Amino acid sequence: MDILKWGILSALLAGFVVAVCALFVLAVESTRAVFSLKPEAYQHRYVRWNWFNALARHEMFTEEGMVHRRRALLATLWFLGSLVGCGMLVAIASLVRLYGS
């Protein structure tokens, strides 16, 4: 039982580290993408209010901005995947604690 507990705790810690790193990459790549907007994108009413609103529209970015936008999407998927993985580990640990002998 000790090995199982240590394994689950280390996997949770690894998932937390992946989530924090993915969140950092998401913030950096989103910011870099916003700095690569096309000049006409700044005239859009939602982008004028908040530049990050442009992330949903691919036509507002230059080629370099599209690369950063895709990296931000990939970081979002990593973040969500690590949250799901940690949630599954918590569920497994709860079941093992509840029904384990």
Side-chain angles (χ1 to χ4, degrees):
M1 191 66 173
D2 259 354
I3 294 174
L4 182 62
K5 184 188 286 187
W6 278 103
I8 289 176
L9 284 176
S10 62
L12 277 173
L13 182 64
F16 178 72
V17 168
V18 168
V20 168
C21 291
L23 201 57
F24 176 72
V25 170
L26 173 64
V28 169
E29 290 299 331
S30 296
T31 304
R32 290 176 76 185
V34 165
F35 288 137
S36 300
L37 287 171
K38 291 180 180 176
E40 61 268 10
Y42 295 107
Q43 302 306 317
H44 195 274
R45 64 181 176 162
Y46 296 121
V47 176
R48 227 177 332 179
W49 177 67
N50 184 356
W51 289 355
F52 289 98
N53 286 337
L55 288 173
R57 299 175 178 258
H58 65 86
E59 66 270 4
M60 294 189 179
F61 291 97
T62 61
E63 289 299 318
E64 181 185 354
M66 287 299 292
V67 170
H68 296 301
R69 184 176 173 262
R70 287 186 191 113
R71 288 180 188 164
L73 176 63
L74 186 62
T76 303
L77 294 176
W78 271 94
F79 177 72
L80 293 176
S82 66
L83 288 183
V84 168
C86 286
M88 292 295 291
L89 283 173
V90 168
I92 290 170
S94 300
L95 289 174
V96 166
R97 177 175 266 180
L98 186 63
Y99 297 114
S101 53

